[in-house]
Amino acid sequence: GNYTMSSPAIFQAFWASGDELHLNQRYVAELLERGVRVLIYAGTYDFICNWIGNERWTLNMPWSGQEAFKNKPLVDWNLEGRVVGKTRSHGVFTFATIEGAGHLVSAML
C-alpha cells in the first residue's frame, strides 16, 4: 500500500515551531522531586532512541534518588511467563525496555 515512514514537511513544521530536540533531564528530575510517577521506556530494537542511551541519561540524571536508582540492577520484566523486557525502579521512577520493540513502541502499548 501507500506507506511513508516519515514526512519531511511535518518534521520541518515541528522544527520551525520550536519543537526541536532539547534536554529534558531537569524537567524529569523536578517531577520526581514532587512525587510524580515517571516511566521512561524504549524498545530494544529502537535505533533512533536506543535503550542504552535512554538508560544512561536516567542513570546520570541528578535527583535526590539518583544513587539508589543507580544501585538497582536491571531485572527481568515477566508477563504471562515470558520475559518482555527489563526494568529498574526506585520510588516513583522506573526505566523499562520492551523486548523486540522498535521506535514506535508506544503504538504497541
Side-chain angles (χ1 to χ4, degrees), residues 52-87:
I52 295 170
N54 277 285
E55 180 191 32
R56 286 185 179 161
W57 80 256
T58 64
L59 292 171
N60 292 311
M61 178 180 57
W63 65 292
S64 62
Q66 179 184 14
E67 286 306 312
F69 182 79
K70 283 173 57 171
N71 290 325
K72 301 278 177 107
L74 277 174
V75 295
D76 286 344
W77 172 16
N78 293 291
L79 182 64
E80 298 177 356
R82 64 180 200 146
V83 175
V84 296
K86 297 195 179 289
T87 65

Side-chain angles (χ1 to χ4, degrees), residues 18-109:
D19 191 23
E20 69 275 359
L21 302 174
H22 53 87
L23 295 176
N24 60 14
Q25 287 181 330
R26 184 173 39 124
Y27 302 113
V28 173
E30 289 173 8
L31 292 172
L32 294 171
E33 298 301 350
R34 292 180 178 136
V36 176
R37 295 177 68 184
V38 174
L39 168 64
I40 304 297
Y41 60 89
T44 58
Y45 291 175
D46 187 344
F47 65 92
I48 297 168
C49 300
N50 65 80
W51 76 266
I52 295 170
N54 277 285
E55 180 191 32
R56 286 185 179 161
W57 80 256
T58 64
L59 292 171
N60 292 311
M61 178 180 57
W63 65 292
S64 62
Q66 179 184 14
E67 286 306 312
F69 182 79
K70 283 173 57 171
N71 290 325
K72 301 278 177 107
L74 277 174
V75 295
D76 286 344
W77 172 16
N78 293 291
L79 182 64
E80 298 177 356
R82 64 180 200 146
V83 175
V84 296
K86 297 195 179 289
T87 65
R88 172 183 289 112
S89 291
H90 174 71
V92 295
F93 192 35
T94 299
F95 170 76
T97 67
I98 295 103
E99 188 62 39
H103 189 62
L104 298 178
V105 66
S106 61
M108 298 172 39
L109 298 177

Side-chain angles (χ1 to χ4, degrees), residues 4-22 48 103:
T4 302
M5 186 169 136
S6 64
S7 166
I10 292 174
F11 173 78
Q12 300 246 340
F14 273 115
W15 195 266
S17 72
D19 191 23
E20 69 275 359
L21 302 174
H22 53 87
I48 297 168
H103 189 62

